[in-house]
Amino acid sequence: MSNNTAVIGHPIEHSISPKIHNFWITEHRIKVGEYKKISLKKEDVKDFFEECKAGNYKGLNVTVPHKELAFELCDQVSTIAEKLQAVNTITFSENKIIGDNTDPIGFKNSISLNKQKSHIENKKTLVIGAGGSARSIIYQLKSMGAHIVNANRTENKSLKIKEDLKINFDFCSLQDIPLVLKNIDFVINTTSLGIDKTDNNLVDFNLLKESSYVYDLIYNPKKTHFLKQAEQKGHQIQNGLKMLIFQAAASFKIWHGVEPTLSDQLIKSLD
Ligand code: ATR
């Protein structure tokens, strides 16, 4: 069947994007095949895009580590993708590869409630990590009026984000995080620390401003060591599941023209 969709990455086995998309494909009776996950090595991505262009794919989601390569392979990209120099959503249309990035809107929609937004606008936020996800988060937080401190192991990566996005923010080394915590209203971990259930001790929550909101982009495990520690100290916490779902929703809308919702049923189906 033509009009198919899938996610590509390497590794990809852990991805729950197929569960999310297939739930909505069924819910909205979209006439496409099953959304698949496809493991692709870097050297195979270009040929795969050409195959898709020639035939049976409507679109692809792109995940780690191919978002930057996908950007380079596109014939046309959205303003946001251009800014981030990374693509997570590809559409094949009229023999062209069109790239977009729905990560920032996914993050924005995941923090749409007042209890979260009130910790961001004109407030001080700490973004830990300077990888691909941090780029989208920093871009979005800045456009929501946040003051940003970016903490990362490698300073150069943080400087590169500043340069590419043309955004002004402060840098802080991981060792210096304790020095900024007392003024921080929103903390977000974008590093992969904690994904394999390892401890993440980058923040001493005893030093963090009392009313601060704590977010971890990791959604598996649902409550990382980082979030558990924050919760124990009385902070409101959130994991990355909603962002994943909302970025998927934005991709779904691009391909199928329908804006799907985040229902309790969907959340249950992911358990
Ligand atoms: P993603 O696209 O998910 O953001 P990434 O681009 O590989 O993934 O970025 C991973 C981030 O986690 C980076 O900021 C990385 O720090 P460096 O920039 O110094 O490499 C950070 N990270 C990964 N493992 C870490 C560790 N053990 N301690 C501290 N930071 C770590």
Side-chain angles (χ1 to χ4, degrees):
M1 190 182 300
S2 65
N3 277 345
N4 285 337
T5 49
V7 58
I8 62 160
H10 191 74
I12 198 65
E13 293 69 35
H14 68 282
S15 173
I16 61 168
S17 291
K19 281 192 178 173
I20 299 171
H21 279 270
N22 287 325
F23 180 93
W24 290 327
I25 285 173
T26 306
E27 185 180 44
H28 294 279
R29 299 196 176 117
I30 308 287
K31 290 191 173 41
V32 289
E34 191 189 344
Y35 178 108
K36 299 215 165 75
K37 46 184 161 191
I38 300 169
S39 176
L40 276 186
K41 290 199 182 123
K42 193 174 180 214
E43 55 271 28
D44 298 325
V45 174
K46 191 168 190 276
D47 286 349
F48 184 69
F49 279 9
E50 289 306 316
E51 269 174 49
C52 292
K53 205 159 99 169
N56 51 359
Y57 271 90
K58 168 88 180 167
L60 296 174
N61 279 131
V62 182
T63 189
V64 179
H66 300 320
K67 291 184 188 184
E68 290 77 17
L69 173 61
F71 168 78
E72 282 164 26
L73 295 172
C74 283
D75 299 308
Q76 203 177 305
V77 294
S78 67
T79 314
I80 284 192
E82 179 77 52
K83 194 127 200 153
L84 299 173
Q85 295 178 37
V87 150
N88 82 332
T89 306
I90 299 259
T91 308
F92 300 99
S93 176
E94 295 172 0
N95 211 30
K96 278 202 185 117
I97 306 174
I98 301 169
D100 205 338
N101 199 317
T102 63
D103 286 335
I105 191 74
F107 176 62
K108 184 181 180 196
N109 288 340
S110 80
I111 49 169
S112 59
L113 299 175
N114 280 339
K115 70 168 184 177
Q116 300 142 333
K117 282 203 290 201
S118 63
H119 291 81
I120 292 172
E121 197 183 334
N122 286 320
K123 297 286 168 68
K124 209 152 189 188
T125 62
L126 172 65
V127 179
I128 308 174
S133 331
R135 261 174 193 247
S136 296
I137 303 296
I138 289 173
Y139 172 83
Q140 192 55 48
L141 283 174
K142 192 73 184 180
S143 70
M144 293 171 79
H147 302 285
I148 297 164
V149 180
N150 181 217
N152 197 43
R153 186 172 58 180
T154 315
E155 183 170 6
N156 272 345
K157 284 207 200 158
S158 179
L159 289 174
K160 182 88 171 56
I161 295 181
K162 211 189 256 191
E163 218 175 272
D164 289 347
L165 299 188
K166 298 183 180 59
I167 284 178
N168 221 356
F169 54 80
D170 295 324
F171 173 77
C172 146
S173 67
L174 296 182
Q175 292 69 30
D176 284 347
I177 289 179
L179 305 179
V180 301
L181 290 176
K182 73 173 191 303
N183 294 319
I184 296 292
D185 299 282
F186 184 93
V187 180
I188 179 159
N189 172 52
T190 75
T191 75
S192 37
L193 264 179
I195 214 158
D196 42 12
K197 300 195 177 150
T198 46
D199 288 357
N200 174 345
N201 288 310
L202 295 175
V203 170
D204 179 349
F205 291 99
N206 290 309
L207 304 177
L208 182 63
K209 191 172 171 180
E210 241 174 48
S211 55
S212 196
Y213 196 90
V214 180
Y215 196 126
D216 194 333
L217 278 196
I218 297 169
Y219 55 84
N220 185 16
K222 279 185 195 163
K223 207 182 276 181
T224 54
H225 170 258
F226 185 79
L227 289 184
K228 277 186 196 156
Q229 284 179 302
E231 193 177 43
Q232 269 169 21
K233 295 290 166 198
H235 295 285
Q236 296 180 75
I237 58 166
Q238 181 170 339
N239 71 17
L241 185 64
K242 278 191 179 173
M243 175 172 169
L244 180 81
I245 295 174
F246 282 120
Q247 64 75 32
S251 299
F252 194 91
K253 170 105 191 283
I254 290 171
W255 299 325
H256 307 304
V258 181
E259 178 115 47
T261 52
L262 190 166
S263 61
D264 291 344
Q265 247 178 322
L266 168 62
I267 300 273
K268 240 185 241 160
S269 77
L270 300 175
D271 266 345

